[in-house]
Amino acid sequence: MEWLNLIGYIAVGVAAVMLPGLLVGAAARLRGWLLVEVAPLISITLIATAPILAAKIGWWWGWQPMLAWTVIMALVVWLIVGVVSKIWPSAAPKAWRQRVNSKHRSGPDIHAAGLSVTGAQQSTERPSDSADQALDAAPSRRRAWYWQLIAWTLAAIIASWQFVKMLGVPTAFSVSFDNVWHLNAVRWILDMHDGSSLTLGAMGSSDQIPSFYPAAWHDLASLINLLTGSSSVVLTTNAATWVVMGVIWPLGILALSRRIFNNHHIATILAAGILASSFAAFPGLILNFGILYPNVLGFALIPGVLALLVASLKITRISSDDAPIWELLCLAALGLPGMILAHPNALLALIGIITPLVLVWSWRGWRRDRPSDQRHSRQPTHRWAYPLVGIIWTAIAIIAWLLMRTTPSWPTSNVSETTLGEFLLASPLWLRPFWVLGVLICVGLVLATQKTQWRWWLWPVAVIALLWWAGATMTKGPARSLLISGFYCDPNRLAALMPLALIPLCLMSVDWVASWWSIRTATWQSVPRRVSTTAAMVVALAIIALGTNLSDAMGLHLAQVRVRFTVLQESDLLDSDEFTLIEQLPNLLPAGSRVAVNPGAGGPLAFALEDVPVTAYHIFYVNTPALETINDSLDEVASEPDLVCPALASLNVDYVLDFGVDAINEDTSSLKGFDQLSTAPGFTEIARVGDAALYRIDACNA
C-alpha cells in the first residue's frame, strides 16, 4: 500500500515538472519532441520562482501561485513570440509559419528522409525498402518521436528498479548529515507557507533572519505535498527523487543525444535511454554522499540546457527543431533560473562546459566567413563578430567563475595513477569498475578523435576530466581553489558530472557499430535483414543494460546506498531507538510544544518526520544567546534556574530529547547542557526507547 501511495505522489510530481512547461512551451509554438524536452526546464524555473514572487506579495506558497505564475508566463511568452514573428517572419517558429501560410512546406524533408549526421545523401529507396531498413536507418521525424518515447520509458524502468533497490521501502530516508537540513527545509516551507529561496536560510539560525538558500528542490518536494495533501515529507522527497531520476535527467540526456547524433540510428536513441540510467556516478553517488539533493536536481538540468545551447550554436548538423536560434537561446535562458535556484554550482559546471564550445563556434564562424581571395575581396564586417562574442563570453565566464568561488572544504581523495582509470571506467571514488561502460567509453574516445562531427565533444570531456582530476588529486592550494572551490573542492560533486561527459562517448561507440552493421547488411534480403538487425540490436542493448545494472559494481553501489537509507541501531545520525521515539512524539507532547535537541545527535529530524518544533533545525546552527545558554547549561537548570529558565521561556521549550552525546560531528558532541540529563534533577522522564529518552523540564515550574 505504501508503494501505491508513493506511485501516486510520483505521478503528481511528474505532472508538476511537465504540465507547466508544456503549457508555456506550447505558448511559444513549440511542437514535437522539443516541447517535451524543454518542459522540465521551464517547469523547474516556474516552481523555483513562483514562491519568491508569492512571498513578495504576501501570498502563501501552494498550487494557486504556481498556477497563476504559469498562466502569466504562458501569456507573456505567447505575446513575445507572436510579436517577434509578426515583425520578423523569417525568425518565426515553423508551426507559426505554417499556420500563417495555411500550408506546409513544399518539397521533401531531408531529415524525415533519413539524413545522417555525416551528411549522407537523401534516401531514394522504394517505400518497401525504407521499411526494411527501419531498424538501422535514421528514423523519420514522427518515428523518431516514437523511439524517443520508448527510450525515455526504458530509462524510467531502469531508474525505477534502481530506486526500489536503493530505498528498500518507500518511507526510507537518508540517515546522513545533509538530510537534516533538506527534510527540515521541506517541512519549514510547509509550516511557514513560504518557499522563497530568498528567505529559506532563516531556518539555519535561531533568530530566523531571512537569507538566501537555493530552494528549487525543496519547492518541488513541498509542491507535491501541497498538491497531494500529504503530511509526509519523506514520501514526497522520495517522489521528487524519482522524478529527477526518471524524468528530468533522462529527457536531458535524450535531448543532448539528439543534438549530437541527429537520431542517426534507432539503436543510438534506445541506448541513450538505457545509458542515462546506467551510471552509478549520477545520481547514485551523491544520493549516498551528503545527501546532495540540490546538486542532484541542478546537475540533472544541465544536459537539457546544454542541448539547447549546442543547437543554437549550430555545432552539429542537427535535425530541425522547428524553432529559430533566438528562441532556442531564450528557452535555454528560461531554464537557467531553475538551475541556479537548484544549486548555483550547476550553472558553474554549465559555464565550464559551454565556454570552449563558444570558442569553437567563434573560430568556425571567423574561418567560414573569410574571403576566398584575400587580395581582391573585402572581409565581411560581421566576420569579426564571432571572435568578439567569444572574447566577451570568455570574460563573463571568468568573472562568474571567480565570483562563485566558495571556501574550500574537502581534501583530495586519490592519487594520479588511479584518477584516469576511474574516469575511463566510470568508477570514481569508492565505486568498482564498470567494464562494459569502460569498453564503450574507450572506443568512443578513439572515435571522437577520429571523426570530425564528434571531435568537438572532446572539449566538454576535457573540462569535466580536468575538474575531476583537480578534485581527486590536486593538493590544497591556490590552483585547486581557483579551479574547483565553486564545488566546495568536493570530489563527490565533481565525480557526479562524469556521466554527462561519458554517456555521449558511449553512444558514439553504439552509433559506430550501428553504422557498421547497416553497411554490412545493406545487400541482404529484406526479411533476413530485418530479423538479424532486430536481434542484433536487442542483444547489444541487453548487453549494455544488463552488463551495467546487473554487474557486481552496480549491485555493491545500490547496496551501499540502501544502507545509507536504512535506520540501523548503529547509525551515526539517528539510530533505530531514537527513530522509534521520534515516531511516538505526537502522542506524547502537547500540541505546539517545542523540544530542546542536540543538533548533531539526530533530534532535529523530529521536526521533519513528525512536525515537532525543535530548538535547532540543522547541525550547523547559528545560536542566539538564549540557545547558547540551553546548550551549555540545560542539565544545570535545577541549580541555575535564574540562568536557564529565562532562556527556556524565551524559546518556549518545555521538553528535551536525550539522544546521548555521541553526535555525527565533533562540534555538537561536546554540548555540556546535554551530557548529564539522565541523572540531573529537575527533569521527568516521559518516554524511553533503549537509550533514547524524552524528558519534561519541571525545574522551572517548581
Side-chain angles (χ1 to χ4, degrees), residues 57-352:
I57 62 175
W59 202 356
W60 283 5
W61 170 229
W63 65 267
Q64 298 92 338
M66 181 65 195
L67 177 61
W69 182 224
T70 300
V71 172
I72 291 171
M73 281 296 298
L75 289 174
V76 170
V77 169
W78 182 81
L79 288 172
I80 291 174
V81 173
V83 171
V84 172
S85 299
K86 288 286 188 181
I87 298 175
W88 189 12
S90 62
K94 181 180 176 182
W96 174 281
R97 297 197 305 269
Q98 288 177 341
R99 186 178 66 83
V100 172
N101 297 331
S102 300
K103 63 180 181 179
H104 294 282
R105 279 189 312 175
S106 60
D109 186 338
I110 59 174
H111 300 293
L115 181 67
S116 71
V117 293
T118 58
Q121 295 296 318
Q122 178 183 333
S123 173
T124 58
E125 296 171 330
R126 299 185 308 274
S128 60
D129 293 335
S130 297
D132 292 341
Q133 296 184 25
L135 290 169
D136 63 320
S140 68
R141 180 172 301 177
R142 180 169 296 180
R143 227 173 39 239
W145 203 101
Y146 170 78
W147 288 111
Q148 292 273 3
L149 185 60
I150 294 178
W152 180 16
T153 303
L154 291 174
I157 291 172
I158 296 173
S160 299
W161 177 80
Q162 294 180 355
F163 181 73
V164 172
K165 286 287 186 180
M166 287 190 290
L167 263 64
V169 294
T171 54
F173 60 92
S174 175
V175 190
S176 59
F177 186 98
D178 289 284
N179 211 25
V180 175
W181 174 273
H182 297 311
L183 291 182
N184 278 344
V186 178
R187 178 68 69 189
W188 180 275
I189 290 171
L190 295 173
D191 284 5
M192 300 297 176
H193 310 287
D194 181 6
S196 173
S197 295
L198 303 181
T199 60
L200 183 59
M203 194 188 75
S205 62
S206 185
D207 52 14
Q208 298 182 5
I209 297 176
S211 60
F212 175 80
Y213 187 90
W217 169 271
H218 314 91
D219 291 334
L220 173 59
S222 65
L223 183 60
I224 299 174
N225 278 101
L226 294 166
L227 291 172
T228 60
S230 172
S231 61
S232 171
V233 301
V234 171
L235 284 173
T236 54
T237 295
N238 289 340
T241 303
W242 188 93
V243 169
V244 174
M245 293 176 62
V247 177
I248 299 176
W249 171 252
L251 282 179
I253 292 297
L254 289 171
L256 185 59
S257 169
R258 189 161 71 90
R259 292 344 185 276
I260 297 175
F261 301 100
N262 194 26
N263 293 332
H264 192 198
H265 289 288
I266 292 171
T268 309
I269 298 174
L270 297 180
I274 292 172
L275 289 166
S277 297
S278 296
F279 277 73
F282 185 85
L285 189 65
I286 52 178
L287 288 176
N288 184 54
F289 172 82
I291 191 170
L292 305 180
Y293 284 129
N295 275 115
V296 169
L297 177 57
F299 288 178
L301 295 169
I302 294 176
V305 177
L306 180 60
L308 294 170
L309 295 175
V310 168
S312 63
L313 292 174
K314 298 291 184 182
I315 293 178
T316 62
R317 297 174 182 175
I318 62 170
S319 58
S320 173
D321 276 313
D322 293 342
I325 291 177
W326 72 268
E327 192 169 30
L328 292 173
L329 288 172
C330 288
L331 290 171
L334 197 55
L336 292 182
M339 179 185 295
I340 295 170
L341 295 176
H343 203 297
N345 64 26
L347 175 64
L348 198 64
L350 179 66
I351 290 173

Side-chain angles (χ1 to χ4, degrees), residues 343-365:
H343 203 297
N345 64 26
L347 175 64
L348 198 64
L350 179 66
I351 290 173
I353 294 168
I354 200 64
T355 296
L357 300 185
V358 172
L359 295 178
V360 169
W361 170 84
S362 300
W363 172 250
R364 286 182 178 179

